[in-house]
Amino acid sequence: RRSSIAASDAAFWSRCKVCRPRLLGRPLMIEDVSLERGRAILKTTTQHWLRMRGASSFPVTFEDTKHPQLDAPSSQLRARVVGPDHLEILDEHGAPVAKRLDTSTGV
């Protein structure tokens, strides 16, 4: 079921960072991307409800994060579920990204 956004909320949502798991095609709002114990960890604003179901990782795309590596159309990043509202960002080979991917916009 799709939810709609009121016109007054459009400006707020246009500033938000988005992670779009390619398997689902639905956007996830990002609260933060930080480096924790040498791994890039993404925190969503709400529970993401993603399950691995035997896969080691899944492809993701990012929009409006203001970070060139995340927003690049050629970026082939992947993610792995590490908690109900956390994903670990991986490179195109499934290896952990071990550098800061801080973003300049936020919720």
Side-chain angles (χ1 to χ4, degrees):
R1 185 168 75 128
R2 289 196 140 167
S3 60
S4 60
I5 301 171
S8 62
D9 295 334
F12 167 78
W13 289 109
S14 68
R15 293 189 313 266
C16 293
K17 300 176 283 188
V18 175
C19 168
R20 190 177 302 272
R22 288 187 201 144
L23 297 175
L24 298 176
R26 68 178 173 88
L28 293 171
M29 303 311 290
I30 300 171
E31 182 173 314
D32 188 33
V33 178
S34 60
L35 192 64
E36 298 179 15
R37 290 183 223 127
R39 304 179 312 161
I41 302 294
L42 177 153
K43 180 174 180 5
T44 58
T45 57
T46 61
Q47 191 167 0
H48 53 63
W49 300 102
L50 297 171
R51 304 283 182 257
M52 295 304 295
R53 298 185 187 212
S56 59
S57 64
F58 49 88
V60 293
T61 56
F62 292 87
E63 300 171 4
D64 302 324
T65 67
K66 307 299 185 243
H67 191 287
Q69 185 178 357
L70 293 177
D71 288 343
S74 61
S75 180
Q76 296 182 4
L77 296 172
R78 301 184 66 79
R80 161 181 26 238
V81 174
V82 293
D85 59 353
H86 288 81
L87 301 173
E88 179 181 7
I89 301 172
L90 309 169
D91 67 15
E92 65 272 10
H93 304 293
V97 172
K99 61 182 163 181
R100 296 188 71 85
L101 297 172
D102 296 335
T103 59
S104 61
T105 61
V107 177

